Amino acid sequence: MDKILSYRDLLIWQKSMDLVTDIYRASARFPKEEVYGLTSQIRRSSISVPSNIAEGYGRRSTGDYKRFLSISLGSLYEFQTQLEVSKRLNYLEESEFEPLNNLSKEIEKMTNSLISKL
């Protein structure tokens, strides 16, 4: 196992960054009237996931790290809800929704596991 020297070395952070870039690409096709609504919300919630993982890692305190991981998890649940709304409104095709949903569920499991291990 490679040594973790930075939050960038964390697989959970890397996958979260993939989620951000994937949702930015997918949400670029949302209706223009959603630019200040759902598009903005889903992007902000996705960015919050790796941001809080990184910030928590940088705090150098287990308690703070767990707290920021919990915040990240909350943002991930917000993202999953907005993703479902996007699907229900037909802003996302099933073929776009499934990979995003699966990646978010994988990150959710990883986050819960990391919190438990800390």
Side-chain angles (χ1 to χ4, degrees), residues 39-103:
T39 304
S40 176
Q41 282 292 114
I42 200 167
R43 287 177 172 185
R44 282 188 282 135
S45 64
S46 71
I47 289 170
S48 182
V49 177
S51 298
N52 279 293
I53 291 167
E55 186 170 357
Y57 181 89
R59 294 295 175 119
R60 303 282 182 199
S61 152
T62 302
D64 279 346
Y65 194 19
K66 286 173 82 170
R67 185 168 60 85
F68 278 92
L69 287 171
S70 292
I71 293 168
S72 178
L73 195 56
S75 295
L76 187 61
Y77 292 150
E78 182 180 358
F79 171 84
Q80 290 169 346
T81 299
Q82 294 157 356
L83 188 66
E84 180 70 28
V85 169
S86 300
K87 179 184 161 197
R88 289 179 181 205
L89 292 172
N90 296 315
Y91 295 167
L92 291 173
E93 300 286 330
E94 187 69 29
S95 61
E96 295 172 299
F97 172 82
E98 279 305 316
L100 289 164
N101 190 51
N102 290 341
L103 181 55

Side-chain angles (χ1 to χ4, degrees), residues 12 73 76 104-114:
I12 189 174
L73 195 56
L76 187 61
S104 75
K105 296 291 186 186
E106 182 180 4
I107 295 165
E108 177 184 348
K109 288 176 187 172
M110 294 173 77
T111 305
N112 280 319
S113 177
L114 183 54

Side-chain angles (χ1 to χ4, degrees), residues 9-28:
D9 298 324
L10 297 168
L11 185 58
I12 189 174
W13 181 84
Q14 295 167 11
K15 287 184 179 283
S16 296
M17 290 295 289
D18 291 341
L19 186 68
V20 172
T21 55
D22 291 349
I23 197 59
Y24 260 76
R25 286 186 186 109
S27 65

